[in-house]
Amino acid sequence: MAEEASSLVGIIETTVEIQSSPEMLHDMFVGKKHHVAGASPSLVQGVELHEGEMGQVGSVVTWNYKHDGEEKVVTERIESIEPEINRVTYRVLEGDIMKEYKSFVITFQVTPKEGESGSIAHWHFEYEKINEEVAHPESLLQFAAQISKEIDEHLMSEA
């Protein structure tokens, strides 16, 4: 039984090279989420605050987005923010992702590149699938990487 349960639990991650500073990109995913739809309109149609204050621990936000050609919705809560290292952790509460996962936690961190300009965006997904038929969320990870790139392009065009 323990083997079955462990095959449902997973961690996947990816990194994305970007040109903007760690603080700029981190701020878009924490305090300025409501600007993401304007920065990445092909992927994100809207971001709405439901509880708390935007960019604060405990705030609850719903995202309307397009993934794999389908319009989807996800509601997440900020679990922790570590501004000194540009890291934030979200817990998915409801929406399309929760149709296939019992739990889904996203950690996003942006660090400066060593010895050159730009940054590295790091996405880390920790999840538990509802059953073996559910795929690991690789396409969601690619989606997160693509949003990072589009927001980076937007930020750099405004610089």
Side-chain angles (χ1 to χ4, degrees):
M1 190 72 159
E3 283 184 38
E4 268 185 56
S6 66
S7 65
L8 297 175
V9 174
I11 294 174
I12 59 173
E13 46 195 3
T14 192
T15 57
V16 182
E17 289 193 27
I18 58 170
Q19 296 304 309
S20 52
S21 73
E23 296 79 15
M24 289 171 66
L25 191 63
H26 179 261
D27 194 37
M28 284 292 283
F29 282 102
V30 178
K32 297 183 178 175
K33 290 180 196 176
H34 51 291
H35 293 293
V36 172
S40 185
S42 66
L43 300 175
V44 179
Q45 286 67 55
V47 178
E48 185 179 342
L49 178 68
H50 289 285
E51 285 180 31
E53 188 178 323
M54 189 68 81
Q56 299 298 310
V57 171
S59 62
V60 176
V61 172
T62 296
W63 298 71
N64 294 297
Y65 63 101
K66 195 166 196 170
H67 176 244
D68 289 341
E70 293 180 35
E71 290 189 10
K72 298 189 177 187
V73 176
V74 65
T75 300
E76 49 87 353
R77 177 181 60 231
I78 294 180
E79 296 282 291
S80 67
I81 303 171
E82 297 172 79
E84 65 282 356
I85 57 171
N86 298 300
R87 181 168 40 205
V88 61
T89 301
Y90 309 98
R91 178 172 300 279
V92 176
L93 302 176
E94 57 187 44
D96 291 287
I97 291 173
M98 299 311 287
K99 292 176 184 174
E100 297 183 310
Y101 300 92
K102 289 181 185 177
S103 67
F104 206 98
V105 176
I106 301 166
T107 301
F108 175 68
Q109 182 173 14
V110 193
T111 56
K113 283 186 185 174
E114 292 291 326
E116 59 183 296
S117 64
S119 307
I120 304 291
H122 182 243
W123 290 95
H124 175 99
F125 291 178
E126 201 166 322
Y127 56 89
E128 182 178 358
K129 303 184 297 181
I130 59 170
N131 60 46
E132 281 299 325
E133 286 74 49
V134 173
H136 295 283
E138 282 96 355
S139 71
L140 280 171
L141 196 62
Q142 292 167 355
F143 177 78
Q146 186 60 39
I147 289 175
S148 299
K149 291 175 188 175
E150 288 190 12
I151 291 173
D152 181 50
E153 287 173 16
H154 174 79
L155 291 169
M156 295 311 294
S157 73
E158 289 187 336

